[in-house]
Amino acid sequence: MSQQDTPNTIYLKDYTQPAYWIDTVNLHFEIGDETRVVAEMEFRKNTSVEGHHVLELHGEQLRLGAILLNDHALANGQFSVDEGRLLIPDVPDQFTLQIETFIKPVDNKSLEGLYKSSGNFCTQCEAEGFRKITYYLDRPDVMAKFSTTIIADKISCPVLLCNGNLVDSGDMDHGRHYAVWEDPFKKPCYLFALVAGNLQCVDDHFITLSGRKVALKIFVEAHNVDKCEHAMQSLKKAMAWDEQKYGREYDLDIYMIVAVDDFNMGAMENKGLNVFNSKFVLAKPETATDMDFINIEGVIGHEYFHNWSGNRVTCRDWFQLTLKEGLTVFRDQQFTADMNSVAVKRIDDVNVLRTRQFTEDAGPMSHPIQPASYVEINNFYTVTVYNKGAEVIRMMHTLLGETAFRQGMDYYFATYDGQAVTTEDFVTSLEHASGRDLKQFRRWYHQASTPEVSVTGQYDEKKKSYKFTIKQTSVNEHNKAFHIPVQVGLITKDGTELVHASRLLELTKNEHVFEIENVTTPVVPSVLRNFSAPVKLTLSLSNDDLAFLMAHDTDDFNRWNAAQQLGVMVLLHMIEVYKKGHPEKLPAAYLAAFGNVLSASDADKALIARMLTLPDEDYLAELMPYADVDAIHLVREAACYEIAEKFQAIFLRVFTDNQQAAYKFDAESIEKRSIKNLCLAYLARLNTVETRKLAVEQYYAAHNMTDQMAAL
Ligand code: BES
Ligand code: ZN
């Protein structure tokens, strides 16, 4: 929005195709404090749009030089400029337009368009930043082939980068040099990127499934060259994963990542030239934790995966943002799960959803993953569009199953490659490939709010069956019933999973009764396994049932969820009685369940570490009508101390068993560090000479940040 505009609302229902297409763009940059940009574009009338021949281009904060239409300079009066637009009435059906503009990257503090970060020039064009570089049809459904010439001073800007392949470069007069880049793929201008500066390059390569060699280059400031190894490995893992999981190969001969310090977001998927906030590239074990390493791997993966889900197939308009972001978050979640702990990744993602997205949905910012209107698109890069968007994709994955989902993805990529499409096109692809009807499911795209689901279960001794009654209690005049996949299972009292009872219930009405037959003994239900839908679930289970699920549920997410719920119940009760002056000890059932989990040798150690961490103080405070912070702290600390005392010997053994000689970044090593450091945290609470020594020794011996921080 330019300064003089009053905010005006843009509606999805008003979408119309552009009156003109742009087929090719030749950009010419003379980089400097005042940068000269010449854009030469070939326009073609969109025959499906009726009407007269007016060309209207976006442009902001530009100083206009010359305009040439089919090589003839336009005189004043043959065009007009106002409110972020350049208007040229009376253009032919097909024509070339050459526009000269001047911009000032140093004065650009918006970090959109072309700006300077630590002395280097770089661009950020999503969502609507390209219009700060030149006059253009700055909308994602206009896809063109770009070629770019960059001219700059050779001393201050030895590196000149743009999308695609480098086709020419050389020296010029006055100490300048040039580079010419061609991107063979049509793209919307939000994927354009240019970098000019003094950067060092870390090189590697990747051989694709079909045997093509891709040059991989990470550009950073000279003093950061030693912190790129992990990002490079992550990139190679991501490229191999997308081939193996989705059959998607990379398509250019070069893939570049540039790290800059000044960047509004985490990273940006510009075609062949990603720009990253340096915190998502730079890492070495001495200065980054396992969590940092995993996050970097995830963001590198995310931007890489956009090459197909976002770039090759892009969005028709910004209302479709979740088409690329929700889908790409889902893909990066799958990637991180495959590279690390599946269970812990799901727990972390659900935590983000419950704490941030549910809160967004409960407040004044509540909106569907595909909003119907917006004022400022930059405010719609939300946890709803991203993370709930990913959950909506995940539910379709659950409903269709792995094979049909993959077939749907293949169909989507094959059908819409090179096009700008809608979420409707995506859902239709999944329907087409699977034969499933997702008509009601589509409500997830258009209705805001978090559905509330209540579940009750009943064992019928005589009929030998178990009956689930599932209700959507949040259906109202704004929100019709959702199509909700509810994954359930039953576990017999001796801890055996009833295999035939494990199934996906599909709740489509306000209320539904599902009967599971052949249940011959009493069971404990496990509901909404793996958090199969982004809903608020009410299911009342006794503390005994929770302790039982914590020990026996075969669904890792629900095991953790039961542990959390039980921890909450137990601590909230202890806080209440403490406030009345009768401090209590942890119930025996809780300690027994804790001990079971701690000695479970088969389970993922990172998951065990999560399960054995008591709900944190903030979370407890949130659940109390009046948060007595002193009571919360004292009771939680006392509970930790009690656990530490009771399991001291086991903690010490597990701590010792999980020591590692050298630092490695892989799933197994991370798991070992998490369980070891959990044990250390409990032991240190005992505050004895021996346990203090353990912490001090680990602090000084640590060869990585995770261990050192844990010890500290
Ligand atoms: N396309 C976005 C980055 C973006 C969004 C740039 C809006 C400018 C305006 C990118 O793919 C993205 O989503 N990045 C995330 C990280 C990701 C791992 C979720 C980010 O930057 O936070
Ligand atoms: Zn993204």
Side-chain angles (χ1 to χ4, degrees), residues 124-127 190 263-269 280 295 298-300 302-303 306 324-325 328-329 332 378 381 386:
Q124 169 55 39
C125 295
E126 187 180 1
Y190 84 86
F263 197 70
N264 279 331
M265 302 286 289
M268 176 65 207
E269 70 265 26
F280 287 118
N295 286 339
V299 181
I300 297 252
H302 179 97
E303 306 312 337
H306 268 314
K324 77 175 178 84
E325 294 302 347
T328 305
V329 169
D332 85 54
N378 283 316
Y381 287 76
Y386 272 64

Side-chain angles (χ1 to χ4, degrees), residues 2-28:
S2 64
Q3 288 88 339
Q4 64 270 37
D5 277 348
T6 42
N8 68 333
T9 307
I10 299 163
Y11 295 92
L12 170 57
K13 64 175 167 50
D14 294 342
Y15 172 83
T16 53
Q17 284 191 3
Y20 286 85
W21 300 112
I22 303 176
D23 293 316
T24 60
V25 188
N26 279 307
L27 293 168
H28 172 102

Side-chain angles (χ1 to χ4, degrees), residues 544-563:
D544 284 347
D545 286 346
L546 290 172
F548 176 86
L549 291 176
M550 183 173 160
H552 300 293
D553 203 324
T554 54
D555 183 73
D556 284 341
F557 176 81
N558 269 6
R559 275 189 85 183
W560 169 82
N561 202 44

Side-chain angles (χ1 to χ4, degrees), residues 637-657:
E637 281 305 302
C640 288
Y641 187 88
E642 204 187 325
I643 291 170
E645 258 190 329
K646 169 140 178 104
F647 296 106
Q648 182 169 5
I650 307 181
F651 283 140
L652 195 59
R653 196 195 68 226
V654 178
F655 177 79
T656 315
D657 286 353

Side-chain angles (χ1 to χ4, degrees), residues 378-597:
N378 283 316
N379 295 338
F380 264 100
Y381 287 76
T382 59
V383 14
T384 297
V385 168
Y386 272 64
N387 299 65
K388 184 175 180 180
E391 292 300 318
V392 169
I393 305 280
R394 184 180 293 272
M395 285 190 283
M396 291 190 281
H397 177 270
T398 304
L399 288 166
L400 268 59
E402 178 66 28
T403 308
F405 181 79
R406 168 68 197 269
Q407 284 164 350
M409 291 292 289
D410 287 351
Y411 182 84
Y412 169 71
F413 289 132
T415 310
Y416 298 112
D417 190 9
Q419 298 184 43
V421 304
T422 62
T423 59
E424 182 53 30
D425 296 322
F426 180 80
V427 177
T428 308
S429 297
L430 294 187
E431 285 184 323
H432 176 90
S434 67
R436 281 216 53 155
D437 178 356
L438 296 169
K439 186 166 184 290
Q440 183 183 357
F441 186 87
R442 281 173 172 76
R443 287 179 187 160
W444 284 104
Y445 279 91
H446 310 294
Q447 295 186 169
S449 89
T450 310
E452 289 170 28
V453 172
S454 84
V455 177
T456 53
Q458 210 171 17
Y459 176 52
D460 190 330
E461 169 98 67
K462 266 209 261 90
K463 284 172 75 184
K464 301 287 176 217
S465 72
Y466 193 88
K467 202 165 75 182
F468 279 113
T469 305
I470 309 188
K471 294 180 193 169
Q472 321 194 25
T473 53
S474 49
V475 175
N476 58 33
E477 68 272 25
H478 308 294
N479 285 317
K480 297 188 186 152
F482 285 94
H483 180 174
I484 305 176
V486 183
Q487 189 86 49
V488 300
L490 298 176
I491 303 162
T492 63
K493 294 278 172 162
D494 64 0
T496 321
E497 169 88 26
L498 277 188
V499 179
H500 78 277
S502 162
R503 62 185 70 173
L504 186 68
L505 306 179
E506 295 188 26
L507 178 61
T508 52
K509 294 178 264 179
N510 292 8
E511 181 173 341
H512 218 116
V513 178
F514 299 91
E515 196 158 343
I516 298 180
E517 286 166 1
N518 253 320
V519 182
T520 50
T521 68
V523 287
V524 179
S526 169
V527 177
L528 202 68
R529 285 185 152 176
N530 203 33
F531 204 67
S532 59
V535 301
K536 286 188 187 156
L537 174 72
T538 326
L539 164 69
S540 51
L541 290 172
S542 66
N543 284 6
D544 284 347
D545 286 346
L546 290 172
F548 176 86
L549 291 176
M550 183 173 160
H552 300 293
D553 203 324
T554 54
D555 183 73
D556 284 341
F557 176 81
N558 269 6
R559 275 189 85 183
W560 169 82
N561 202 44
Q564 279 290 296
Q565 273 183 278
L566 182 60
V568 164
M569 302 298 284
V570 162
L571 289 174
L572 288 182
H573 170 78
M574 285 167 76
I575 291 166
E576 277 319 300
V577 295
Y578 169 87
K579 289 199 317 201
K580 292 187 185 123
H582 313 289
E584 269 182 15
K585 297 253 169 214
L586 280 165
Y590 182 79
L591 288 169
F594 191 104
N596 270 336
V597 174

